[in-house]
Amino acid sequence: MERAKERLVQWLKDAHAMEAQAETMLKGMASRLEHYDELRHRVEQHVQETQAQAKKIEQCLDRCGAGTSALKDMAGKTTGMGQALSGLFVGDEVVKGALAGYTFEHFEIASYQALITTAEAAGETEIAEVCRGILKEEEAMANWLREHLPVVTRAFLAREGMDQPAKR
Ligand code: MG
Ligand code: FE
């Protein structure tokens, strides 16, 4: 159980870095979008959720007595997944951005599933509950993107077909 607790703390820190990176990518995407209002609004909403998620993770670390000062060391660190996807996000093309977002949400979903299992193994049921709440938000965002990818793609193709600016 002690080992599980140590692992939990480490993975909570990773999750915090993941959320910081999510915030950067989502904010960048929202600020660039000009012609896709529905997508931009949903992304902006998820920026708010993402900021709140980072706070919740900090509270979980406090609960573990881990403190949050160590998070500063993590600030510059990025997840490999985020690194791989950031090119698509900054590629400044709405369809690529949407599918990068969809992929990143699934990375988050998998991360919280592992965190929930680890929190339970460590006897930290409240932390497991918090992670379940965050998991629901990530799943909702992933589902929204899956449903709207065809809409966004069609809108992109229609704009391009009419020689209107389509990229963002
Ligand atoms: Mg998140
Ligand atoms: Fe997310």
Side-chain angles (χ1 to χ4, degrees):
M1 206 144 135
E2 270 315 297
R3 295 296 297 274
K5 180 89 181 273
E6 283 169 31
R7 201 42 93 179
L8 177 63
V9 168
Q10 188 182 349
W11 285 344
L12 283 169
K13 287 176 182 173
D14 289 345
H16 194 272
M18 174 178 77
E19 296 303 348
Q21 195 170 22
E23 184 185 344
T24 303
M25 290 193 289
L26 293 167
K27 267 188 180 165
M29 188 173 168
S31 72
R32 285 190 299 270
L33 288 175
E34 289 174 23
H35 306 295
Y36 302 89
D37 287 346
E38 206 187 358
L39 176 62
R40 197 186 71 239
H41 287 142
R42 186 63 180 90
V43 170
E44 281 168 351
Q45 184 195 331
H46 199 56
V47 168
Q48 305 285 319
E49 289 169 344
T50 299
Q51 289 166 336
Q53 288 167 1
K55 292 237 163 60
K56 287 175 197 167
I57 298 293
E58 286 169 28
Q59 286 159 5
C60 289
L61 282 163
D62 278 339
R63 262 189 68 84
C64 294
T68 48
S69 63
L71 291 176
K72 290 198 183 82
D73 311 331
M74 301 279 295
K77 287 193 188 162
T78 53
T79 60
M81 177 60 75
Q83 202 89 295
L85 291 173
S86 59
L88 288 179
F89 273 105
V90 301
D92 192 27
E93 195 256 76
V94 63
V95 176
K96 290 288 193 296
L99 65 88
Y102 181 67
T103 307
F104 195 82
E105 292 308 322
H106 282 85
F107 178 62
E108 293 188 287
I109 286 167
S111 299
Y112 285 109
Q113 283 170 333
L115 267 175
I116 290 162
T117 305
T118 307
E120 280 168 353
E124 293 285 349
T125 51
E126 279 186 42
I127 292 177
E129 247 344 275
V130 170
C131 291
R132 269 194 205 94
I134 297 176
L135 176 64
K136 282 210 179 78
E137 293 176 343
E138 310 298 22
E139 286 172 337
M141 184 62 182
N143 290 341
W144 192 96
L145 286 169
R146 188 184 57 207
E147 280 163 21
H148 288 77
L149 258 163
V151 180
V152 169
T153 306
R154 271 196 298 272
F156 176 91
L157 293 171
R159 292 188 67 87
E160 202 171 51
M162 290 185 293
D163 283 326
Q164 290 173 344
K167 255 185 99 179
R168 56 188 186 181

